């Protein structure tokens, strides 16, 4: 039995093509994935991401708990509302999940974790809080009486569209720089996203999500499925958990070194393993020079040895196939490599792992 | 609802086959197949002159979402390919029955007659 978000009926009413996404019945597109992709880059689109799981932390020990729990350093969160992207590691330095932490007060934080990993994340957090004897109460907000829905509104017109349907939110959110959140009445509005465009992720009581979805649709915001979400995040060079990294992959080998704070002596789970193993691979971009489509698990042949594509697709913005890949150390940006596609070796160029953001190609 | 023209024959692997007056057949993917795949971005066509056994991988269609093999609906030799479909994969989404992929000379014309008719293929598509 597939799980359904509170917007399931709304998707079906729009004739969405629904797929089993990690046990959730989710829209992959509402007609054309490519049109939805362009809508977000050029105007404004919205995604139902209510399958993702908000987790509220309350208690005196929120900071010391998070300081040990995740690889990035919550000491960077000094201003109320600020958000931090981090990996949560196991003892061997593998990635249990990647998540966003929102700092509200010193005794109240909100974390948003991936849909497919929510249960194991919660179990891990509860176990660590008990083991470390931390005063922190951990509560999931995806299911049950206090469930939240999440609608991501993304694109250059996203802020104006949200204000047009939630005018009461304008004053508190118009000054938000990227990666902040504001609470307005029952709405939690964050300037975060997974597309490389400006916009908001709006969390609200689940029962109100369909009404907001329909108002945004009536305001001209394009409903977009998980297909477009994937090509948008791939162009933006954002990692996808389970594809680009998992419990067997170090964040240092997944392009996430920038999220691992090792400068001071802070003790966090996985630190010793990261320090012992160091970086083994590089996480870089590929643009296919021949005709075809790069896909996850394809083998990459380089002068320094073999690598592997972790995510690949066609880029609607570049009109070429692009990929994220784990490649041997020593491969340089600009190198020409070969990708094994169905037994044929096709030419690709190594790039920085980012292809398009803010409406434009960056390669 | 996908479109299943009654003048064509079909393979359960979602190819359509049109019998031509010169004894060749024209092959493409069905409307149901293009809809299931989503926006197509790449088409790899077979080589003219190559022989394929029935059910062998003969071409590839890729959407933003996934790659799918196209299978030879019958045994035969490729006589012509539609380069226009490879140059504009979206034309297959626009009209899967106009944007054919290749033509073949069947090894045995009876194999064509043994393919599914429109009603039988509709049942396959409905069950998918």
């Amino acid at each position: 039995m597939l799980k359904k978000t509170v917007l399931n009926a709304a998707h079906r009413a729009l004739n969405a093509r629904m797929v089993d996404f990690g046990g959730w019945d989710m829209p992959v597109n509402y007609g054309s994935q490519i049109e939805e992709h362009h809508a977000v880059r050029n105007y404004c689109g919205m995604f139902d991401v209510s399958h993702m799981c908000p987790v509220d932390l309350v208690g005196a020990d929120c900071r010391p708990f998070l300081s040990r729990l995740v690889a990035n350093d919550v000491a960077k969160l000094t201003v109320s509302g600020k958000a931090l992207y981090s990996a949560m590691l196991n003892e061997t330095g593998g990635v249990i999940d990647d998540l966003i932490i929102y700092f509200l007060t010193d005794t109240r934080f909100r974390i948003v974790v991936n849909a497919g990993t929510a249960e194991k994340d919660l179990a891990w957090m509860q176990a660590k809080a008990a083991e470390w004897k931390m005063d922190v109460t951990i509560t999931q907000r995806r299911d049950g009486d206090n469930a939240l829905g999440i609608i991501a509104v993304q694109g250059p017109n996203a802020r104006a569209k949200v204000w047009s349907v939630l005018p009461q939110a304008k004053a508190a959110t118009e000054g938000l720089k990227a990666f902040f959140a504001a609470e307005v009445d029952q709405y939690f509005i964050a300037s975060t996203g997974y597309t490389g465009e400006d916009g908001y992720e709006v969390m609200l009581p689940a029962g109100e999500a369909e009404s907001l979805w329909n108002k945004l649709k009536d305001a001209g915001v394009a409903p977009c499925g998980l297909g477009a979400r994937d090509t948008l995040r791939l162009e933006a060079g954002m990692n996808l958990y389970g594809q680009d990294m998992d419990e067997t992959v170090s964040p240092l080998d997944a392009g996430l070194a920038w999220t691992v704070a090792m400068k001071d002596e802070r003790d966090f789970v996985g630190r010793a393993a990261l320090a012992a193993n160091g970086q083994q691979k590089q996480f870089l971009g590929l643009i296919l020079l021949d005709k075809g489509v790069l896909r996850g698990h394809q083998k990459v042949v380089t002068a320094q040895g073999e690598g592997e594509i972790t995510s690949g697709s066609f880029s609607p913005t570049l009109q070429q196939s692009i990929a994220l890949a784990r490649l041997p150390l020593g491969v340089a940006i600009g190198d020409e490599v070969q990708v094994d596609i169905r037994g044929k070796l096709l030419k690709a160029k190594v790039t920085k792992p980012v292809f398009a953001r803010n409406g434009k190609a960056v390669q | 609802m996908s479109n299943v023209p009654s003048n064509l024959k079909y393979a359960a692997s979602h190819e359509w086959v049109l019998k031509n007056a010169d004894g060749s057949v024209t092959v493409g993917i069905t409307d149901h197949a293009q809809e299931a795949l989503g926006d197509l971005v790449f088409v790899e066509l077979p080589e003219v002159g190559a022989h394929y056994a029935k059910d062998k991988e003969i071409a590839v269609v890729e959407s933003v979402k996934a790659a799918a093999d196209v299978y030879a609906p019958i045994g035969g030799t490729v006589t012509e390919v539609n380069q226009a479909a490879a140059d504009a994969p979206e034309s297959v989404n626009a009209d899967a029955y106009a944007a054919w992929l290749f033509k073949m000379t069947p090894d045995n014309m009876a194999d064509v007659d043994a393919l599914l008719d429109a009603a039988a293929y509709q049942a396959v598509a409905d069950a998918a």
Side-chain angles (χ1 to χ4, degrees):
Chain A
M1 185 66 187
L2 293 180
K3 288 187 259 185
K4 292 176 179 169
T5 74
V6 71
L7 292 170
N8 192 273
H11 303 317
R12 292 184 174 277
L14 290 165
N15 287 319
R17 175 166 286 275
M18 306 296 287
V19 293
D20 176 352
F21 181 80
W24 290 79
D25 186 44
M26 297 298 287
V28 65
N29 65 60
Y30 300 83
S32 168
Q33 175 175 337
I34 288 179
E35 284 173 22
E36 291 163 21
H37 180 109
H38 289 312
V40 172
R41 283 269 177 268
N42 301 319
Y43 185 66
C44 184
M46 61 178 169
F47 304 86
D48 174 18
V49 286
S50 305
H51 58 317
M52 296 184 74
C53 187
V55 179
D56 284 347
L57 268 52
V58 176
D61 290 337
C62 281
R63 274 190 182 274
F65 174 65
L66 288 169
S67 179
R68 284 181 74 174
L69 185 75
V70 300
N72 211 337
D73 190 352
V74 289
K76 293 175 184 172
L77 298 174
T78 57
V79 180
S80 178
K82 183 74 184 120
L84 183 74
Y85 173 75
S86 184
M88 180 165 75
L89 306 180
N90 58 27
E91 297 291 352
T92 59
V95 182
I96 296 173
D97 201 3
D98 65 332
L99 43 80
I100 293 177
I101 300 168
Y102 298 94
F103 164 50
L104 303 169
T105 72
D106 277 326
T107 57
R108 196 161 73 90
F109 287 70
R110 173 168 288 172
I111 306 177
V112 177
V113 304
N114 281 302
T117 48
E119 280 80 14
K120 76 165 182 180
D121 291 353
L122 280 160
W124 177 266
M125 290 177 195
Q126 302 280 13
K128 289 297 167 192
E131 180 187 331
W132 300 332
K133 299 184 169 47
M134 294 284 184
D135 173 12
V136 56
T137 305
I138 301 163
T139 311
Q140 69 78 23
R141 299 290 305 276
R142 183 177 68 188
D143 307 306
D145 290 344
N146 294 314
L148 298 172
I150 314 176
I151 299 173
V153 189
Q154 302 276 293
N157 296 81
R159 290 183 184 233
K161 289 295 178 188
V162 170
W163 298 331
S164 77
V165 299
L166 294 176
Q168 69 273 38
K170 184 172 180 183
T173 59
E174 66 183 337
L176 286 185
K177 291 181 192 156
F179 251 67
F180 272 89
E183 291 182 289
V184 182
D185 305 329
Q186 69 273 46
Y187 305 104
F188 182 101
I189 301 175
S191 52
T192 48
Y194 196 47
T195 61
E197 297 299 320
D198 191 18
Y200 292 130
E201 294 182 295
V202 181
M203 291 176 225
L204 74 173
E208 298 178 32
E210 189 164 358
S211 163
L212 179 64
W213 176 270
N214 287 332
K215 282 181 193 164
L216 287 164
K217 189 172 79 58
D218 291 344
V221 179
C224 298
L226 295 182
R229 190 169 162 83
D230 190 51
T231 47
L232 286 158
R233 71 93 195 168
L234 179 63
E235 285 186 350
M238 294 171 165
N239 292 41
L240 174 60
Y241 189 81
Q243 246 175 254
D244 300 310
M245 73 290 196
D246 58 31
E247 291 191 11
T248 68
V249 175
S250 160
L252 305 181
D253 297 342
L256 298 177
W258 63 279
T259 72
V260 179
M262 300 265 271
K263 282 192 185 125
D264 54 25
E265 296 301 304
R266 180 178 60 101
D267 179 34
F268 63 86
V269 179
R271 176 169 190 146
L274 297 188
N277 298 331
Q279 184 186 359
Q280 306 282 335
K281 298 274 185 184
Q282 313 186 76
F283 193 72
L284 291 167
L286 296 175
I287 295 179
L288 186 63
L289 301 173
D290 289 325
K291 282 196 151 192
V293 184
L294 302 171
R295 304 281 182 192
H297 305 299
Q298 286 169 350
K299 191 173 75 181
V300 185
V301 181
T302 81
Q304 288 77 18
E306 278 187 11
E308 188 180 325
I309 289 177
T310 54
S311 291
S313 187
F314 175 80
S315 161
T317 302
L318 271 62
Q319 292 286 307
Q320 278 177 295
S321 183
I322 60 170
L324 298 173
R326 217 176 325 280
L327 302 176
L329 298 176
V331 173
I333 289 166
D335 283 1
E336 193 173 295
V337 296
Q338 291 176 303
V339 181
D340 184 337
I341 301 182
R342 292 182 289 273
K344 286 184 199 161
L345 290 175
L346 302 185
K347 281 186 289 205
K349 184 178 76 175
V350 178
T351 69
K352 286 185 192 170
V354 57
F355 305 93
R357 285 191 180 202
N358 300 314
K360 288 192 286 285
V362 293
Q363 292 285 353
Chain B
M1 277 294 98
S2 57
N3 173 17
V4 184
S6 60
N7 62 319
L8 302 175
K9 301 291 269 186
Y10 299 88
S13 47
H14 309 290
E15 294 83 17
W16 58 262
V17 178
L18 172 70
K19 279 168 95 164
N20 299 315
D22 64 0
S24 70
V25 296
T26 303
V27 180
I29 65 166
T30 65
D31 187 48
H32 169 80
Q34 71 75 22
E35 196 186 322
L37 282 162
D39 295 321
L40 293 179
V41 294
F42 177 67
V43 173
E44 185 177 301
L45 297 169
E47 272 179 49
V48 173
H51 180 270
Y52 292 85
K54 177 175 163 59
D55 298 333
K56 286 297 282 184
E57 298 94 346
I58 187 167
V60 178
V61 288
E62 297 205 38
S63 69
V64 268
K65 211 163 68 183
D69 287 318
V70 178
Y71 300 95
I74 51 163
T77 302
V78 176
T79 57
E80 194 179 341
V81 296
N82 184 11
Q83 191 57 41
D87 292 341
E90 64 277 12
S91 64
V92 180
N93 292 117
D95 186 345
Y97 300 108
W100 57 280
L101 299 183
F102 54 88
K103 295 184 182 180
M104 299 178 92
T105 303
D107 293 341
N108 188 344
M109 195 53 84
D111 294 343
V112 181
D113 297 324
L115 291 166
L116 303 175
D117 64 14
Y121 177 68
Q122 182 74 63
V124 170
D126 288 346

